[in-house]
């Protein structure tokens, strides 16, 4: 479970995420990955709904976030789109869903804040239907060792200030989970990871 102190760090950032709707530097990467989402979709760490414009074939969205202001903004944003949506205020690491509930599971820029990211990926493996897909757009360690040293050095500061780890190798975390990795792309000097995976049943 996230502490109230941790949650408040994200509550305070809601206006930043709202402004990103008009100037989202990751929009082209969201579009590239998340247009693949279909069927019943679970999005963890939904934030203010920045992925919504890129959903083309989804029937229903179940959206989870531990920040109440973020969820409120996402719920308002969802009214602009044709898919039905259910919003759950909760920590993705502690919410429960039945196995084989979703056709697609989506996460974007949220794995920096989880306590046990591999455990959460293993939950995705259970929650996703056979033949379904897991789509991750996450930030983490860059490709260059010199810059990795800097990322690791500032990690305690960014975690304390905004609740965000800088030192995670997202590809390695995904490979350590029960998921089968289908495709990995790295962008922005390797700091941005686009990962397509599927559950192993």
């Amino acid at each position: 479970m996230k502490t109230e102190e941790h949650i408040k760090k994200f509550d305070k950032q809601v206006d930043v995420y709202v402004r990103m709707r008009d100037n989202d530097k990751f929009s082209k990467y969201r579009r590239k990955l998340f247009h693949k989402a279909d069927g019943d979709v679970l999005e963890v760490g939904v934030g203010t709904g920045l992925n919504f414009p890129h959903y083309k074939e989804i029937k229903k969205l179940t959206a989870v976030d531990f920040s109440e202001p973020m969820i409120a903004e996402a719920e308002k944003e969802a009214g602009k789109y044709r898919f039905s949506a259910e919003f759950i205020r909760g920590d993705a690491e502690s919410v429960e869903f039945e196995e084989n509930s979703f056709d697609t599971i989506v996460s974007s820029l949220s794995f920096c804040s989880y306590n046990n990211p591999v455990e959460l990926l293993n939950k995705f493996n259970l929650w996703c239907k056979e033949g379904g897909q897991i789509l991750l757009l996450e930030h983490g360690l860059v490709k260059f060792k010199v810059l990795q040293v800097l990322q690791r050095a500032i990690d305690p500061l960014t975690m304390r200030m905004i609740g965000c780890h800088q030192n995670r190798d997202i590809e390695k975390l995904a490979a350590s989970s029960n998921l089968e990795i289908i495709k990995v792309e790295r962008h922005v000097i390797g700091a941005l990871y686009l990962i397509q995976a599927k559950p192993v049943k």
Side-chain angles (χ1 to χ4, degrees), residues 38 102-105 128-134 197-199:
D38 62 7
F102 302 102
D103 299 293
T104 305
I105 299 178
C128 193
K129 296 175 184 176
E130 186 172 3
Q133 58 183 340
I134 293 92
K198 67 179 183 180

Side-chain angles (χ1 to χ4, degrees), residues 141-154 189:
L141 287 174
V142 301
K143 289 183 176 179
F144 304 105
K145 301 269 186 203
V146 172
L147 294 179
Q148 287 179 7
V149 172
L150 176 61
Q151 286 179 287
R152 291 189 170 100
I154 67 172
I189 63 172

Side-chain angles (χ1 to χ4, degrees), residues 154-172:
I154 67 172
D155 184 76
L157 177 62
T158 59
M159 192 61 189
R160 187 165 62 252
M161 296 295 292
I162 59 173
C164 177
H165 284 293
Q166 304 297 313
N167 64 351
R168 290 186 166 170
D169 185 330
I170 304 299
E171 184 174 357
K172 185 177 290 186

Side-chain angles (χ1 to χ4, degrees), residues 43 46 48-55 61 63 74 77-78 81 83 87:
E43 182 175 349
V46 68
T48 58
L50 291 171
N51 295 323
F52 295 173
H54 309 299
Y55 291 148
L61 175 70
E77 183 70 6
Y81 301 93
F83 53 80
F87 293 88

Side-chain angles (χ1 to χ4, degrees), residues 181-192:
I181 308 304
I182 304 302
K183 185 177 181 181
V184 178
E185 293 184 25
R186 303 274 297 272
H187 299 277
V188 193
I189 63 172
L192 192 67

Side-chain angles (χ1 to χ4, degrees), residues 1 23 27 36 103 120-122 148 173 188:
M1 289 287 292
N23 185 27
S27 179
K36 302 174 188 295
D103 299 293
L120 182 56
L121 290 170
N122 289 339
Q148 287 179 7
L173 291 174
V188 193

